[in-house]
Amino acid sequence: MDRDSVARLRGYAFCMLIVVGALLSVGIVFVYSASSFYAAEKLGNPQFYLKRQIIYALAGLVAFTVGARISLDFFKRSAFLWYFIALGGIALTFLPMATRIHGASRWITIRGLSVQPGELLAPALILYVASFLARKPQAISIFSVRSVGFATMVMSGLLLLLKQPDFGGAFTLGCAVFALLSVAELSLAHIAWMTAIFTPLVAALIIMKPYRLARILAFLHPWGDPRGKGFQLIQSLIAVGSGGLWGRGISLSRQKYFYLPMQHTDFIFPIIAEETGFVGSTLLVVLFMLFLFFGFKILQLLEDRFSFYIVLGGVALISMRAAINLMVATGLLPTKGLGLPFVSYGGTALVANLFMVGLIINSVRTQKMMAWLVFLTFAQNYRLLG
């Protein structure tokens, strides 16, 4: 890789860090704005969620540093171990010690702090898949022991997420894995088998659970049950629409006064839209588009296979979850239970996302110029000077 490519890589990575820093700042401001009244009424402390989000952000910066500084070779060699540990963490959510919220058992509470092991599965699975694909998967038979073992491990993680249940997390993570497999020079037979298996599986998972069908029906016609299944979507659309061009002003939302449920987590975007209007909402969307743009610019210059798959997996997963969250909040998709990356309140998700950003930066940092190119450049410059 020549010096110009290295310089461009680092420039794109720096721009991505600026975007992530801006999203974190937006998140801290609006977590406080959206949650202050709720926290004051329910917990007697309007700054409760703000303080925790700051603590989570600091923990996320530690995770970012770990992802950015530890050798990628270490992550490549130990990818299976980290994935196995993540699977064990999810298994803990099925024990009596787990915390159930809205009928889902996804959290483990440790000394007052809730940990969501399913969020930690995302970077672990991406590392595991990237490590597998970096070993020339096109030479592997569909029914080889290695391929079957790999598919079993991936499906184990996704099925554990579905068991919690966390359909949104399993769906987005499965799509990210599919994206990695699709660009990994696999044969058409591999892709055909995956499509033939997963398409009817997703449809069956939706049909088998009545509440998932109810969400789809509420999405299609929320006014059919305005005080029940359609309530959250209606309140979300009211918040988005009442923001107008410039918004009501930061901290002046009306929907946060117990009208819009989960206003500081999954539905923080409607509060942002209500308080900052079309202009602020557009700027937030632009930030996520810039994250995706710089991610693909980095991908175009990476030469190492493992680094390429890490960056692709991280960028695809974060961007996909952001797009789904925004579309759910504006009535373009049924409710999925996904937070807005870097913005919504939530400790484990924030730590996991910042760790993935650290891995992206690490992938850029370890790209070096090949020695012979450096020598040729030096020789050419010397000849011109001579």
Side-chain angles (χ1 to χ4, degrees):
M1 180 177 291
D2 56 40
R3 284 179 293 184
D4 179 63
S5 296
V6 172
R8 283 191 292 158
L9 259 179
R10 293 178 177 175
Y12 294 141
F14 180 72
C15 292
M16 177 179 282
L17 285 180
I18 293 177
V19 170
V20 171
L23 289 171
L24 283 174
S25 301
V26 170
I28 290 174
V29 170
F30 285 98
V31 162
Y32 178 57
S33 176
S35 68
S36 57
F37 181 78
Y38 177 88
E41 291 291 317
K42 297 292 185 179
L43 304 170
N45 181 5
Q47 298 177 351
F48 179 83
Y49 293 106
L50 170 65
K51 292 178 180 179
R52 289 204 169 192
Q53 188 73 353
I54 292 175
I55 293 173
Y56 295 149
L58 293 176
L61 291 178
V62 174
F64 167 82
T65 303
V66 171
R69 300 302 300 179
I70 294 181
S71 170
L72 282 182
D73 288 335
F74 169 79
F75 287 119
K76 186 176 182 179
R77 292 194 304 268
S78 60
F80 177 80
L81 174 62
W82 294 117
Y83 183 56
F84 187 78
I85 292 174
L87 291 179
I90 297 179
L92 294 178
T93 62
F94 303 112
L95 299 179
M97 61 183 293
T99 302
R100 296 186 67 87
I101 301 177
H102 302 301
S105 179
R106 305 178 192 170
W107 297 266
I108 300 173
T109 302
I110 303 174
R111 294 190 176 184
L113 291 177
S114 294
V115 178
Q116 190 174 353
E119 293 290 349
L120 300 178
L121 181 70
L125 180 55
I126 288 174
L127 282 173
Y128 175 63
V129 175
S131 176
F132 176 83
L133 295 180
R135 301 168 187 170
K136 298 182 179 180
Q138 64 271 24
I140 301 173
S141 171
I142 298 177
F143 300 107
S144 69
V145 174
R146 189 178 171 202
S147 294
V148 172
F150 168 76
T152 302
M153 289 300 298
V154 172
M155 288 301 300
S156 297
L158 299 181
L159 289 175
L160 284 174
L161 287 178
L162 289 171
K163 181 65 177 176
Q164 289 183 329
D166 184 6
F167 180 79
F171 176 78
T172 54
L173 195 50
C175 288
V177 172
F178 187 83
L180 289 175
L181 296 175
S182 298
V183 301
E185 302 178 23
L186 296 179
S187 66
L188 291 177
H190 280 84
I191 298 176
W193 271 101
M194 289 188 296
T195 304
I197 292 173
F198 287 111
T199 301
L201 179 61
V202 171
L205 289 171
I206 294 174
I207 296 173
M208 289 170 58
K209 295 294 183 178
Y211 73 90
R212 289 175 185 153
L213 281 176
R215 286 181 178 180
I216 294 177
L217 294 175
F219 155 70
L220 294 174
H221 186 43
W223 292 101
D225 188 10
R227 296 182 180 273
K229 299 296 184 181
F231 179 80
Q232 189 170 38
L233 177 56
I234 291 172
Q235 298 304 317
S236 178
L237 294 176
I238 290 174
V240 173
S242 61
L245 182 60
W246 297 102
R248 298 183 186 275
I250 296 177
S251 80
L252 299 180
S253 166
R254 297 175 183 174
Q255 291 300 106
K256 66 183 179 182
Y257 296 118
F258 295 110
Y259 291 104
L260 177 63
M262 295 188 288
Q263 71 273 25
H264 59 292
T265 54
D266 298 352
F267 280 80
I268 195 171
F269 175 73
I271 302 299
I272 297 174
E274 184 182 6
E275 295 186 352
T276 65
F278 176 78
V279 174
S281 303
T282 301
L283 290 177
L284 181 62
V285 173
V286 168
L287 285 176
F288 281 109
M289 292 177 66
L290 287 174
F291 177 85
L292 180 62
F293 172 78
F294 291 125
F296 276 108
K297 283 295 184 181
I298 291 172
L299 283 172
Q300 291 176 355
L301 296 173
L302 291 177
E303 296 178 348
D304 177 66
R305 294 173 62 90
F306 184 60
S307 299
F308 178 87
Y309 294 131
I310 285 177
V311 175
L312 177 60
V315 170
L317 183 62
I318 292 173
S319 300
M320 190 187 316
R321 289 186 171 179
I324 290 176
N325 178 277
L326 295 173
M327 294 176 74
V328 166
T330 52
L332 299 176
L333 280 179
T335 303
K336 287 289 188 296
L338 293 172
L340 189 59
F342 309 116
V343 179
S344 291
Y345 173 80
T348 316
L350 185 57
V351 169
N353 287 333
L354 286 175
F355 176 70
M356 283 192 284
V357 174
L359 289 175
I360 294 173
I361 300 303
N362 199 347
S363 299
V364 172
R365 189 175 61 85
T366 55
Q367 300 297 312
K368 301 182 182 299
M369 294 180 292
M370 289 186 285
W372 68 274
L373 280 176
V374 176
F375 174 78
L376 288 178
T377 303
F378 173 80
Q380 182 180 15
N381 292 338
Y382 178 81
R383 186 172 65 252
L384 291 175
L385 291 174

